[in-house]
Amino acid sequence: MNVAQPIAAARPAPPLAGQLPLPTWRRHLAALALMAAGLLLCFHRDLIDMVGQWWNSSTYGHCLFLPPIIAWLVRQRLPALRQMQPVAWWPGLLLVGAGAAGWLLGDAAGVALARQYGFVLMLQGAVVACLGPSVSRGLLFPLAYALLLVPAGEELVPPLQTLTAAMCMRLLALVGVPAHIDGVFITIPNGYFEVAEACSGVKFLVAMVAYATLVAHVCFRSPLRRSLFLAAALALPVVANGLRAWGTIYVAYLTDSDFASSFDHVVYGWVFFGTVMIALMAAAWPFFDRGVDGAWIDPARLQPRRPAVQPPRRVMAVTAAALALAVTPLLWSAIVDARGEAAAPRRIALPQVPGWVRSAAPAGPAWQPHFAGADQLLVGHYRDAAGRPVDLAFAVFDRQREGRELVGFGQGAIAPGGPWAWTAEGRPLPGGRAFRILSPGPVVREVAIFYLLGDVTTGSDLRVKIETLKARLLGRSQRGVAVLASAPQIGDVSARGAIDDFLRALGPVDRIAGMGAN
């Protein structure tokens, strides 16, 4: 006899441990993709600028490898992440807002680095807002590592040049080579050397930061070992670069400058720093404490209890709010641009200076400041009754924008790739800044520079950026003028006396530049 039993409606089996809850994950990943696409579309200019620096600058060529490395780091965590439940998290919007504020400040001040960090911070905030705190903690290292996508580090060039030159002098003294230093210029009996920007070691240091950070995470578990490895990895390229520069000068002392130059290019490009990296990894290898099969994250610790599945409307609400936050600085920037009007152009003429007459350019290497995009650039040459020469220059910007501003890369008394290089700061100058520059020969010049913005007269680059930021955010005039006075050193007599006398005769620089009260 057969007995018929009613069949209960089948219920879906719960997901196996480690199995990805696809519908929920797909919803959150779709929201993240939408937010990321919106950010990339709105801030494409910053992305293009970043990629352009990766591609065109040898200092940041390693950044081209960072996106696939970040993708690999995420891929390594996927099995564990699939055991976790993503959630839309409102506090993640704070990170998006912080990135938007950073972008706005960078845009107002004309600081590309701040804009780019703000852009990356908004992308990181998008991940936190769309996937929640637990999943984001699982992705903490890849997210933090993404900050290295921003091409930063050129700011370290001047201090690294100075440090490398100081190391060279100490080492030359140890081996008995007579040498004289003037800023970043070193003179030995049979040669004259500049510790140029390319010799600062910043390229290797920036690349080493990215490499060492990755190795410290992948190969070590102990925080102490990671810290010691990072400290060694950052100190080693600086020391190694000082040794390389010293070796080049020492070879020139033993042979000649031409041989030393060829020796430096071979050693610097192909041998020396490759050897340094191999030596660092060989020394660290015995101390690696992360197993090959070790887990990257522990989902049970990051998310002890799986939260409830959120309704789609919450996910989309967080996504919409994040996009609104990100678009706000763009709208504000556009409104300020529409309201702000460029200051009426004021043509500046070279002034008549009591006790000084216009003359031909002084003998020696030509000097002219470099201010790309200036609305007006004037350079005049003067002499007093004693024959002391002084050059006076004006750079006028009726409206500042990135690439055409008072303070920025390559702007100022020294043209990029030109014959002049900074050597040392000069005596303090009220309302301005004084410093020395040098050209091979050697030929020394003193330079005094004043920046004028509104009623502010300063010699500080930072103050210029702050005043420009305030003017742009508040929709005020961004007109700025740089005034430079420069004189060559004649013999052993400093040119600062001639510059001081000239400035006293010239009178208040703000009035001369048409910025002061009438």
Side-chain angles (χ1 to χ4, degrees):
M1 182 176 66
N2 296 326
V3 179
Q5 294 281 351
I7 300 175
R11 296 180 179 178
L16 299 174
Q19 185 177 2
L20 175 68
L22 287 177
T24 303
W25 267 101
R26 283 173 179 163
R27 184 182 306 129
H28 287 265
L29 290 178
L32 177 59
L34 176 63
M35 194 183 304
L39 291 172
L40 293 174
L41 179 63
C42 291
F43 301 96
H44 65 278
R45 183 186 68 168
D46 300 291
L47 177 63
I48 291 172
D49 288 345
M50 289 168 61
V51 175
Q53 287 182 271
W54 301 349
W55 187 261
N56 297 315
S57 172
S58 57
T59 303
Y60 306 115
H62 66 279
C63 291
L64 293 168
F65 299 97
L66 297 189
I69 288 174
I70 293 171
W72 173 77
L73 290 167
V74 173
R75 176 67 182 84
Q76 297 301 103
R77 289 158 171 75
L78 280 183
L81 292 174
R82 287 170 178 166
Q83 302 177 43
M84 302 171 67
Q85 176 73 45
V87 294
W89 196 49
W90 287 104
L93 299 180
L94 295 175
L95 198 59
V96 178
W103 185 94
L104 179 60
L105 294 177
D107 183 63
V111 180
L113 193 64
R115 285 205 324 269
Q116 292 164 6
Y117 271 121
F119 168 61
V120 172
L121 198 59
M122 283 187 279
L123 288 173
Q124 293 170 323
V127 175
V128 177
C130 287
L131 303 184
S134 298
V135 174
S136 297
R137 286 172 61 199
L139 293 170
L140 181 59
F141 182 78
L143 285 174
Y145 198 65
L147 291 173
L148 296 178
L149 292 169
V150 178
E154 292 284 0
E155 303 78 14
L156 299 174
V157 168
L160 285 176
Q161 283 179 278
T162 302
L163 179 59
T164 301
M167 291 175 61
C168 285
M169 290 299 294
R170 291 290 184 91
L171 293 170
L172 290 171
L174 286 177
V175 294
V177 176
H180 170 73
I181 186 170
D182 189 352
V184 295
F185 292 86
I186 297 176
T187 305
I188 62 174
N190 60 330
Y192 179 75
F193 299 88
E194 177 189 0
V195 182
E197 293 183 6
C199 303
S200 66
V202 71
K203 296 180 182 180
F204 187 52
L205 179 61
V206 170
M208 181 61 90
V209 168
Y211 176 73
T213 302
L214 180 64
V215 171
H217 175 75
V218 171
C219 300
F220 296 97
R221 296 183 64 88
S222 164
L224 177 60
R225 295 189 182 193
R226 284 177 176 172
S227 300
L228 292 175
F229 176 79
L230 282 172
L234 298 183
L236 198 57
V238 176
V239 174
N241 187 64
L243 290 172
R244 178 201 64 81
W246 163 77
T248 302
I249 298 175
Y250 190 49
V251 168
Y253 177 72
L254 298 176
T255 57
D256 58 68
S257 297
D258 291 337
F259 179 80
S261 178
S262 60
F263 167 83
D264 179 55
H265 282 98
V266 172
V267 169
Y268 182 73
W270 300 103
V271 179
F272 194 71
F273 288 117
T275 304
V276 169
M277 294 183 72
I278 292 172
L280 174 66
M281 293 303 295
W285 187 284
F287 302 99
F288 290 174
D289 59 355
R290 181 187 285 279
V292 176
D293 299 325
W296 294 97
I297 58 174
D298 180 1
R301 183 177 63 85
L302 295 176
Q303 195 175 68
R305 296 181 182 179
R306 180 171 293 182
V309 176
Q310 295 175 326
R313 64 177 179 275
R314 172 162 180 162
V315 180
M316 295 312 298
V318 171
T319 303
L323 285 174
L325 276 175
V327 170
T328 299
L330 288 174
L331 294 176
W332 180 259
S333 181
I335 291 171
V336 169
D337 280 344
R339 291 175 54 191
E341 296 182 0
R346 303 181 196 173
R347 305 302 294 178
I348 293 178
L350 290 169
Q352 298 295 325
V353 182
W356 298 75
V357 297
R358 297 285 298 276
S359 66
W367 171 82
Q368 178 168 312
H370 182 265
F371 287 93
D375 294 291
Q376 190 178 0
L377 180 62
L378 296 175
V379 179
H381 312 288
Y382 296 80
R383 285 183 184 273
D384 67 357
R388 296 181 300 173
V390 172
D391 297 334
L392 177 65
F394 292 94
V396 182
F397 292 85
D398 293 324
R399 187 176 178 86
Q400 297 187 66
R401 284 290 182 270
E402 187 175 349
R404 48 189 312 270
E405 53 201 347
L406 277 179
V407 171
F409 177 76
Q411 302 283 72
I414 303 170
W420 297 94
W422 178 91
T423 63
E425 290 292 322
R427 287 188 285 108
L429 183 67
R433 176 189 172 208
F435 51 91
R436 299 172 66 217
I437 60 176
L438 191 146
S439 181
V443 178
V444 179
R445 268 184 173 268
E446 297 271 353
V447 180
I449 186 168
F450 303 86
Y451 297 113
L452 313 173
L453 300 98
D455 59 355
V456 173
T457 301
T458 181
S460 166
D461 291 358
L462 178 60
R463 181 72 185 278
V464 170
K465 287 296 185 183
I466 292 174
E467 293 300 324
T468 303
L469 184 152
K470 288 163 56 177
R472 181 162 168 75
L473 287 180
L474 299 175
R476 300 198 307 241
S477 169
Q478 299 170 48
R479 186 172 191 268
V481 179
V483 181
L484 299 92
S486 176
Q489 178 173 305
I490 301 174
D492 295 329
V493 179
S494 171
R496 179 60 184 272
I499 292 176
D500 289 343
D501 291 343
F502 180 83
L503 291 174
R504 277 192 292 270
L506 180 67
V509 292
D510 57 346
R511 291 180 180 270
I512 298 298
M515 300 291 287
N518 295 322

